[in-house]
Amino acid sequence: MRQWVRRHHKLALALALVIEWVVLLAGHLVLGDPILDSLFGATFWTVASGIMLASERSRSGRTQARLQENGQIHAYVRYPDALPGSLSGIWNMGIATPRAGWIDFQPAVYDTLEPSGRPEKIKVLDMLPGRRWITGKERKYIGGLGIQAMSLVTEKGIVEIAGQPESLDRLVVAVEGGS
């Protein structure tokens, strides 16, 4: 299902808005609203939702294009072997700039990825095989859907990095010495 939505994201969005309209219309009718009021209310809120989703998708697309243009990715980093209370269980959002053997990570905040905190250089010694989908309680610190995580062996221990699968693919190629 996830792959179908990625390939047909416009159709999936249209289908979701149609379902929302039907549910809103049914809700208004069940509450006893007149038919014209029900049609207007359902249509108004569905159009408002569509506009908000379209503007969010557009902003997100511009951010991704800007990052890709600079050879960067939107990523989340955590240190699973760190002491409890530090970044052992919390994903730190930021911008990763991968290059041969290294990842420059700049923590960032908000949807616009405004830099915050001190940048960090992560020397990658090895990349452990396999990726996993971020689910459950881990989602608490990660925005967006379809995020995968992979583990890296660094000079300071194990580091997990998470991002969109396409972004992680670009990171692997760059760290292994590609462009």
Side-chain angles (χ1 to χ4, degrees):
M1 180 72 167
R2 195 177 293 173
Q3 295 300 328
W4 183 87
V5 170
R6 281 184 184 218
R7 283 194 304 268
H8 308 294
H9 61 275
K10 290 180 182 176
L11 179 61
L13 177 61
L15 185 61
L17 290 173
V18 167
I19 291 170
E20 177 186 12
W21 184 82
V22 169
V23 168
L24 285 172
L25 181 62
H28 279 286
L29 293 174
V30 166
L31 292 174
D33 291 346
I35 188 76
L36 287 176
D37 289 350
S38 299
L39 285 169
F40 176 78
T43 303
F44 175 81
W45 289 112
T46 301
V47 168
S49 296
I51 290 170
M52 287 187 287
L53 287 170
S55 67
E56 169 61 24
R57 182 148 176 87
S58 172
R59 187 204 49 75
S60 174
R62 285 192 307 270
T63 300
Q64 289 300 335
R66 176 181 53 110
L67 290 175
Q68 193 166 3
E69 181 180 294
N70 295 326
Q72 301 170 320
I73 65 167
H74 179 208
Y76 301 87
V77 170
R78 80 172 177 180
Y79 307 90
D81 295 336
L83 295 172
S86 60
L87 289 178
S88 64
I90 298 174
W91 291 96
N92 195 10
M93 179 175 68
I95 300 168
T97 308
R99 52 191 174 96
W102 292 87
I103 298 172
D104 296 325
F105 182 75
Q106 171 65 58
V109 294
Y110 309 120
D111 300 356
T112 56
L113 297 175
E114 294 294 323
S116 72
R118 190 174 30 190
E120 179 180 357
K121 292 187 179 299
I122 302 170
K123 181 174 175 65
V124 180
L125 303 175
D126 192 18
M127 289 185 249
L128 299 179
R131 293 184 189 173
R132 61 186 172 77
W133 293 102
I134 298 295
T135 59
K137 291 183 181 181
E138 286 184 304
R139 295 208 58 74
K140 183 163 107 178
Y141 299 105
I142 292 183
L145 299 173
I147 304 291
Q148 288 185 337
M150 60 187 285
S151 297
L152 310 170
V153 178
T154 70
E155 56 189 5
K156 295 180 181 179
I158 301 291
V159 172
E160 289 184 321
I161 189 161
Q164 294 290 335
E166 303 82 23
S167 298
L168 293 180
D169 291 342
R170 289 197 330 261
L171 179 130
V172 168
V173 167
V175 169
E176 288 180 342
S179 57

